[in-house]
Amino acid sequence: PSISVESGLTYVKQGGAGVIVYRVGEKTVRDGIRVGEAFFQGHPLAGPEEKGAKRRASIFAVPVEADAKPTIRLVAEDLAGNAASRSVNVRVRGGDFAQGQVRLPGDFLERVAVPLAEANGLAADDPVEAFRQVNRTLRARNEARIREVVSRSSSTRQFTGAFEQWRNSAVRSRFAEFREYVVGGKAVSDARHYGFDLASTSQAPVTAANAGTVVFADDLGIYGRCVIVDHGLGVHSLYAHLTDIAVAPDDAVTRGGVLGRSGATGLAGGDHLHFAILVGGEYVNPVEWWDPRWIETHIDARLGAGRAPR
Protein backbone atom coordinates (compact mmCIF):
# COMPACT_ATOMS: atom_id res chain seq x y z
CA PRO A 1 0.00 0.00 0.00
CA SER A 2 1.05 3.57 -0.63
CA ILE A 3 1.50 5.29 2.76
CA SER A 4 3.21 8.48 3.87
CA VAL A 5 3.71 10.18 7.21
CA GLU A 6 2.40 13.73 7.55
CA SER A 7 3.26 14.40 11.20
CA GLY A 8 6.57 15.83 12.29
CA LEU A 9 8.53 15.11 15.45
CA THR A 10 6.36 13.64 18.20
CA TYR A 11 7.29 13.47 21.89
CA VAL A 12 5.65 10.75 23.98
CA LYS A 13 6.22 9.58 27.53
CA GLN A 14 6.31 5.93 28.46
CA GLY A 15 2.79 5.30 29.73
CA GLY A 16 1.61 8.27 27.67
CA ALA A 17 -0.05 8.90 24.31
CA GLY A 18 0.46 10.77 21.05
CA VAL A 19 -1.00 11.22 17.57
CA ILE A 20 0.42 10.42 14.14
CA VAL A 21 -1.30 11.79 11.02
CA TYR A 22 -0.61 9.99 7.74
CA ARG A 23 -2.00 9.28 4.28
CA VAL A 24 -2.96 6.05 2.55
CA GLY A 25 -3.33 5.77 -1.22
CA GLU A 26 -5.82 2.92 -1.41
CA LYS A 27 -8.28 1.00 0.72
CA THR A 28 -6.68 -0.97 3.51
CA VAL A 29 -7.88 -3.72 5.81
CA ARG A 30 -5.58 -2.54 8.57
CA ASP A 31 -3.46 0.56 9.06
CA GLY A 32 -2.08 2.44 12.04
CA ILE A 33 0.86 2.73 14.38
CA ARG A 34 2.75 -0.24 15.79
CA VAL A 35 4.69 0.24 19.02
CA GLY A 36 6.70 -2.91 19.66
CA GLU A 37 4.04 -5.63 19.59
CA ALA A 38 1.13 -3.26 20.30
CA PHE A 39 -0.99 -1.98 17.39
CA PHE A 40 -3.12 1.18 17.32
CA GLN A 41 -5.72 1.36 14.55
CA GLY A 42 -5.94 4.46 12.39
CA HIS A 43 -9.17 6.36 11.70
CA PRO A 44 -10.36 8.73 8.95
CA LEU A 45 -9.37 12.37 9.39
CA ALA A 46 -11.03 15.30 7.68
CA GLY A 47 -8.95 17.17 5.14
CA PRO A 48 -8.19 17.40 1.42
CA GLU A 49 -6.94 14.39 -0.50
CA GLU A 50 -3.50 14.66 -2.04
CA LYS A 51 -3.22 12.71 -5.31
CA GLY A 52 -5.97 10.40 -4.08
CA ALA A 53 -4.29 9.74 -0.72
CA LYS A 54 -6.72 10.01 2.20
CA ARG A 55 -5.72 11.49 5.55
CA ARG A 56 -5.92 9.26 8.60
CA ALA A 57 -4.77 9.50 12.19
CA SER A 58 -3.78 7.06 14.91
CA ILE A 59 -3.86 7.90 18.60
CA PHE A 60 -1.21 5.60 20.00
CA ALA A 61 0.38 4.84 23.36
CA VAL A 62 3.78 3.75 24.56
CA PRO A 63 2.85 0.97 26.99
CA VAL A 64 4.19 1.04 30.52
CA GLU A 65 5.95 -2.28 29.85
CA ALA A 66 7.49 -1.13 26.54
CA ASP A 67 11.22 -1.09 25.99
CA ALA A 68 13.03 2.15 26.76
CA LYS A 69 13.46 2.69 22.99
CA PRO A 70 10.60 0.79 21.36
CA THR A 71 10.31 0.31 17.62
CA ILE A 72 7.53 2.61 16.37
CA ARG A 73 6.33 2.42 12.76
CA LEU A 74 3.39 3.27 10.53
CA VAL A 75 2.07 0.02 9.04
CA ALA A 76 -0.65 -0.84 6.53
CA GLU A 77 -2.07 -3.91 4.77
CA ASP A 78 -4.20 -3.76 1.62
CA LEU A 79 -7.04 -6.00 0.43
CA ALA A 80 -4.61 -8.29 -1.42
CA GLY A 81 -2.56 -8.88 1.71
CA ASN A 82 0.35 -6.67 0.69
CA ALA A 83 2.00 -4.88 3.61
CA ALA A 84 4.02 -1.69 3.93
CA SER A 85 5.64 0.20 6.78
CA ARG A 86 7.32 3.55 7.31
CA SER A 87 9.38 4.97 10.13
CA VAL A 88 7.90 7.77 12.24
CA ASN A 89 9.80 10.48 14.05
CA VAL A 90 8.90 9.75 17.69
CA ARG A 91 11.02 10.40 20.74
CA VAL A 92 10.10 8.49 23.88
CA ARG A 93 10.79 9.86 27.32
CA GLY A 94 11.15 7.22 30.01
CA GLY A 95 8.51 6.79 32.67
CA ASP A 96 9.18 6.82 36.40
CA PHE A 97 6.79 4.30 37.93
CA ALA A 98 6.66 4.01 41.68
CA GLN A 99 6.73 0.90 43.84
CA GLY A 100 4.77 0.56 47.04
CA GLN A 101 3.43 -1.80 49.66
CA VAL A 102 -0.18 -2.39 50.60
CA ARG A 103 -0.74 -4.01 53.99
CA LEU A 104 -3.85 -6.17 54.04
CA PRO A 105 -5.61 -6.61 57.39
CA GLY A 106 -7.08 -10.01 58.20
CA ASP A 107 -10.64 -8.77 58.17
CA PHE A 108 -10.18 -7.53 54.58
CA LEU A 109 -9.23 -11.03 53.47
CA GLU A 110 -12.27 -12.58 55.16
CA ARG A 111 -14.67 -9.81 54.23
CA VAL A 112 -13.58 -9.12 50.64
CA ALA A 113 -11.12 -11.63 49.17
CA VAL A 114 -12.80 -14.86 50.29
CA PRO A 115 -16.33 -13.98 49.04
CA LEU A 116 -14.89 -12.67 45.77
CA ALA A 117 -12.96 -15.90 45.25
CA GLU A 118 -16.01 -18.04 46.06
CA ALA A 119 -18.24 -16.03 43.72
CA ASN A 120 -15.81 -16.64 40.86
CA GLY A 121 -15.09 -20.33 41.40
CA LEU A 122 -11.63 -19.89 42.90
CA ALA A 123 -9.97 -21.60 45.87
CA ALA A 124 -11.15 -19.91 49.06
CA ASP A 125 -10.37 -22.30 51.95
CA ASP A 126 -7.37 -20.23 53.04
CA PRO A 127 -7.87 -16.42 53.12
CA VAL A 128 -4.35 -15.63 51.90
CA GLU A 129 -4.61 -18.11 49.03
CA ALA A 130 -8.05 -16.70 48.21
CA PHE A 131 -6.47 -13.27 47.83
CA ARG A 132 -3.68 -14.67 45.65
CA GLN A 133 -6.22 -16.34 43.37
CA VAL A 134 -8.28 -13.18 43.12
CA ASN A 135 -5.27 -10.95 42.53
CA ARG A 136 -3.73 -13.20 39.88
CA THR A 137 -6.33 -15.40 38.20
CA LEU A 138 -9.40 -13.20 38.48
CA ARG A 139 -7.42 -10.05 37.67
CA ALA A 140 -6.11 -11.70 34.48
CA ARG A 141 -9.65 -12.71 33.47
CA ASN A 142 -10.94 -9.20 34.10
CA GLU A 143 -8.12 -7.53 32.16
CA ALA A 144 -8.78 -9.87 29.23
CA ARG A 145 -12.45 -8.87 29.31
CA ILE A 146 -11.54 -5.17 29.37
CA ARG A 147 -9.24 -5.63 26.35
CA GLU A 148 -12.08 -7.40 24.55
CA VAL A 149 -14.53 -4.56 25.29
CA VAL A 150 -12.17 -1.76 24.21
CA SER A 151 -10.97 -3.58 21.09
CA ARG A 152 -13.90 -1.90 19.32
CA SER A 153 -14.11 1.89 19.14
CA SER A 154 -16.03 4.43 17.11
CA SER A 155 -14.16 6.09 14.24
CA THR A 156 -16.00 9.29 15.16
CA ARG A 157 -14.35 11.50 17.74
CA GLN A 158 -16.85 12.03 20.54
CA PHE A 159 -14.66 13.78 23.12
CA THR A 160 -13.77 17.44 23.03
CA GLY A 161 -11.31 19.35 25.16
CA ALA A 162 -9.71 18.05 28.33
CA PHE A 163 -11.16 15.15 30.27
CA GLU A 164 -12.57 16.06 33.67
CA GLN A 165 -11.20 14.67 36.91
CA TRP A 166 -14.03 13.44 39.12
CA ARG A 167 -15.26 16.60 40.84
CA ASN A 168 -14.23 17.22 44.45
CA SER A 169 -11.98 14.15 44.42
CA ALA A 170 -8.46 13.64 45.70
CA VAL A 171 -5.93 11.34 44.00
CA ARG A 172 -4.90 8.57 46.42
CA SER A 173 -2.55 6.52 44.24
CA ARG A 174 0.17 6.80 41.60
CA PHE A 175 -0.19 5.78 37.95
CA ALA A 176 1.23 2.34 37.09
CA GLU A 177 2.49 1.84 40.62
CA PHE A 178 3.86 -1.67 41.18
CA ARG A 179 2.24 -2.86 44.40
CA GLU A 180 3.41 -5.56 46.77
CA TYR A 181 0.63 -6.90 48.98
CA VAL A 182 1.65 -7.77 52.53
CA VAL A 183 -0.09 -9.88 55.18
CA GLY A 184 1.42 -10.07 58.66
CA GLY A 185 4.68 -8.56 57.44
CA LYS A 186 5.05 -11.10 54.60
CA ALA A 187 4.64 -10.34 50.89
CA VAL A 188 1.94 -12.64 49.48
CA SER A 189 1.27 -11.25 45.98
CA ASP A 190 1.87 -8.28 43.67
CA ALA A 191 0.32 -6.40 40.77
CA ARG A 192 0.63 -3.19 38.80
CA HIS A 193 -2.09 -0.61 39.49
CA TYR A 194 -2.78 1.19 36.21
CA GLY A 195 -5.47 3.66 37.17
CA PHE A 196 -5.98 6.27 39.86
CA ASP A 197 -7.86 5.76 43.11
CA LEU A 198 -9.98 8.88 43.59
CA ALA A 199 -11.52 9.66 46.97
CA SER A 200 -14.61 11.73 47.62
CA THR A 201 -17.63 11.41 49.90
CA SER A 202 -19.31 8.03 50.33
CA GLN A 203 -21.60 7.01 47.45
CA ALA A 204 -20.98 10.26 45.61
CA PRO A 205 -22.31 10.60 42.03
CA VAL A 206 -19.68 9.38 39.55
CA THR A 207 -19.63 11.39 36.33
CA ALA A 208 -18.30 10.82 32.82
CA ALA A 209 -14.94 12.47 32.19
CA ASN A 210 -15.93 13.43 28.64
CA ALA A 211 -18.59 12.75 26.01
CA GLY A 212 -18.89 9.23 24.67
CA THR A 213 -20.93 6.05 24.44
CA VAL A 214 -21.27 3.45 27.19
CA VAL A 215 -19.88 0.10 25.99
CA PHE A 216 -19.87 -1.80 29.30
CA ALA A 217 -22.00 -1.50 32.43
CA ASP A 218 -21.91 -4.60 34.62
CA ASP A 219 -20.06 -6.46 37.35
CA LEU A 220 -16.39 -7.08 36.52
CA GLY A 221 -14.74 -9.15 39.24
CA ILE A 222 -12.01 -7.20 41.04
CA TYR A 223 -13.41 -3.96 39.60
CA GLY A 224 -16.86 -4.59 41.06
CA ARG A 225 -19.67 -2.72 39.35
CA CYS A 226 -17.94 -1.06 36.43
CA VAL A 227 -18.69 1.28 33.52
CA ILE A 228 -16.55 1.71 30.40
CA VAL A 229 -17.14 4.62 28.01
CA ASP A 230 -15.93 4.78 24.39
CA HIS A 231 -14.86 8.31 23.43
CA GLY A 232 -13.98 7.39 19.86
CA LEU A 233 -10.66 6.94 18.00
CA GLY A 234 -9.58 4.17 20.38
CA VAL A 235 -9.92 6.20 23.60
CA HIS A 236 -11.88 4.70 26.53
CA SER A 237 -12.39 5.61 30.19
CA LEU A 238 -13.13 3.13 33.00
CA TYR A 239 -14.99 3.70 36.29
CA ALA A 240 -14.88 0.93 38.90
CA HIS A 241 -16.06 -0.14 42.40
CA LEU A 242 -19.43 1.55 41.93
CA THR A 243 -22.27 0.99 44.42
CA ASP A 244 -24.76 1.11 41.56
CA ILE A 245 -24.86 1.85 37.83
CA ALA A 246 -27.15 4.45 36.26
CA VAL A 247 -26.42 3.78 32.57
CA ALA A 248 -26.60 0.90 30.10
CA PRO A 249 -24.60 -0.12 27.01
CA ASP A 250 -25.22 2.11 23.97
CA ASP A 251 -26.25 5.08 26.16
CA ALA A 252 -24.76 8.37 24.99
CA VAL A 253 -23.20 10.39 27.82
CA THR A 254 -21.92 13.93 28.07
CA ARG A 255 -19.08 15.30 30.18
CA GLY A 256 -20.44 15.42 33.72
CA GLY A 257 -23.27 12.99 33.04
CA VAL A 258 -23.95 10.65 35.99
CA LEU A 259 -22.83 7.05 35.49
CA GLY A 260 -23.59 5.75 38.99
CA ARG A 261 -22.41 6.19 42.59
CA SER A 262 -19.02 5.45 44.11
CA GLY A 263 -18.66 2.42 46.34
CA ALA A 264 -16.53 -0.48 47.54
CA THR A 265 -17.57 -3.33 45.27
CA GLY A 266 -15.03 -5.80 43.91
CA LEU A 267 -11.54 -5.86 45.43
CA ALA A 268 -11.92 -2.57 47.30
CA GLY A 269 -11.28 -1.88 50.97
CA GLY A 270 -13.39 1.28 51.13
CA ASP A 271 -15.55 3.67 49.15
CA HIS A 272 -13.62 5.23 46.25
CA LEU A 273 -13.52 5.43 42.45
CA HIS A 274 -10.95 3.54 40.42
CA PHE A 275 -10.52 5.61 37.24
CA ALA A 276 -8.47 4.67 34.19
CA ILE A 277 -7.98 5.75 30.59
CA LEU A 278 -7.04 3.33 27.84
CA VAL A 279 -5.77 4.09 24.34
CA GLY A 280 -5.98 1.23 21.89
CA GLY A 281 -6.31 -1.18 24.81
CA GLU A 282 -3.24 0.15 26.67
CA TYR A 283 -3.49 2.01 29.97
CA VAL A 284 -2.17 5.57 29.84
CA ASN A 285 -1.61 8.25 32.46
CA PRO A 286 -4.91 10.12 33.05
CA VAL A 287 -2.99 13.25 34.09
CA GLU A 288 -2.23 13.96 30.43
CA TRP A 289 -5.90 13.74 29.46
CA TRP A 290 -6.94 15.97 32.39
CA ASP A 291 -4.56 18.70 31.18
CA PRO A 292 -6.15 21.24 28.75
CA ARG A 293 -2.73 22.35 27.52
CA TRP A 294 -1.65 18.78 26.76
CA ILE A 295 -4.89 18.12 24.87
CA GLU A 296 -4.36 21.31 22.87
CA THR A 297 -0.73 20.62 21.92
CA HIS A 298 -0.72 16.83 21.60
CA ILE A 299 -4.24 15.99 20.37
CA ASP A 300 -6.05 19.02 18.94
CA ALA A 301 -2.97 20.37 17.15
CA ARG A 302 -3.04 17.26 14.97
CA LEU A 303 -6.66 16.15 14.91
CA GLY A 304 -8.25 19.59 15.01
CA ALA A 305 -10.29 20.84 17.97
CA GLY A 306 -13.26 18.63 17.07
CA ARG A 307 -16.69 18.71 18.65
CA ALA A 308 -18.61 15.96 20.37
CA PRO A 309 -21.83 15.04 18.55
CA ARG A 310 -25.06 16.15 20.24
Side-chain angles (χ1 to χ4, degrees):
S2 172
I3 54 175
S4 60
V5 180
E6 184 176 303
S7 299
L9 177 61
T10 303
Y11 288 96
V12 184
K13 292 182 179 179
Q14 191 172 8
V19 175
I20 296 293
V21 176
Y22 58 96
R23 294 180 183 270
V24 293
E26 60 253 37
K27 190 172 183 179
T28 60
V29 294
R30 181 178 169 92
D31 61 79
I33 300 298
R34 183 175 297 282
V35 181
E37 297 300 315
F39 175 75
F40 303 89
Q41 177 63 43
H43 300 274
L45 186 64
E49 292 188 9
E50 183 178 291
K51 297 180 180 179
K54 296 181 179 180
R55 299 179 79 229
R56 292 175 67 81
S58 171
I59 302 181
F60 70 98
V62 177
V64 171
E65 292 82 3
D67 295 336
K69 294 183 178 180
T71 300
I72 305 177
R73 297 186 68 83
L74 167 63
V75 297
E77 182 180 341
D78 67 16
L79 298 173
N82 301 306
S85 71
R86 296 286 183 274
S87 62
V88 291
N89 195 2
V90 177
R91 293 184 185 175
V92 178
R93 296 170 175 170
D96 183 16
F97 306 116
Q99 297 188 7
Q101 281 193 342
V102 178
R103 290 175 173 80
L104 304 176
D107 70 319
F108 173 82
L109 300 181
E110 295 284 359
R111 176 173 52 86
V112 177
V114 170
L116 198 52
E118 290 176 340
N120 288 276
L122 301 172
D125 292 340
D126 175 69
V128 171
E129 182 58 26
F131 176 78
R132 288 196 188 100
Q133 290 290 318
V134 166
N135 190 49
R136 295 176 184 173
T137 305
L138 185 57
R139 183 184 295 274
R141 288 181 198 168
N142 299 155
E143 293 299 339
R145 178 64 177 133
I146 290 170
R147 294 319 197 279
E148 179 186 1
V149 170
V150 304
S151 65
R152 299 171 294 277
S153 180
S154 171
S155 286
T156 299
R157 176 179 175 177
Q158 299 184 52
F159 68 91
T160 180
F163 283 55
E164 183 179 72
Q165 181 180 339
W166 188 31
R167 295 172 188 172
N168 303 315
S169 69
V171 177
R172 298 301 191 195
S173 64
R174 295 167 289 188
F175 173 69
E177 177 183 69
F178 188 79
R179 292 178 171 180
E180 187 177 62
Y181 296 95
V182 176
V183 176
K186 180 181 178 181
V188 298
S189 191
D190 55 51
R192 192 175 291 279
H193 186 262
Y194 289 98
F196 277 152
D197 289 336
L198 303 179
S200 183
T201 56
S202 179
Q203 298 193 14
V206 170
T207 53
N210 214 313
T213 302
V214 176
V215 290
F216 184 89
D218 205 344
D219 190 81
L220 190 61
I222 66 169
Y223 292 103
R225 296 188 182 97
C226 178
V227 172
I228 300 175
V229 176
D230 175 21
H231 302 284
L233 308 185
V235 181
H236 293 80
S237 56
L238 179 149
Y239 311 77
H241 305 311
L242 306 182
T243 292
D244 53 43
I245 294 173
V247 291
D250 297 328
D251 283 354
V253 296
T254 57
R255 182 192 288 107
V258 175
L259 304 176
R261 292 181 297 153
S262 67
T265 56
L267 193 62
D271 189 299
H272 72 284
L273 173 67
H274 175 88
F275 175 78
I277 290 184
L278 299 98
V279 168
E282 297 290 340
Y283 289 103
V284 294
N285 194 336
V287 168
E288 291 185 339
W289 295 84
W290 287 340
D291 181 357
R293 179 61 177 164
W294 183 87
I295 290 288
E296 179 184 340
T297 58
H298 288 73
I299 303 297
D300 290 346
R302 297 201 169 174
L303 296 182
R307 295 190 66 84
R310 299 299 180 186

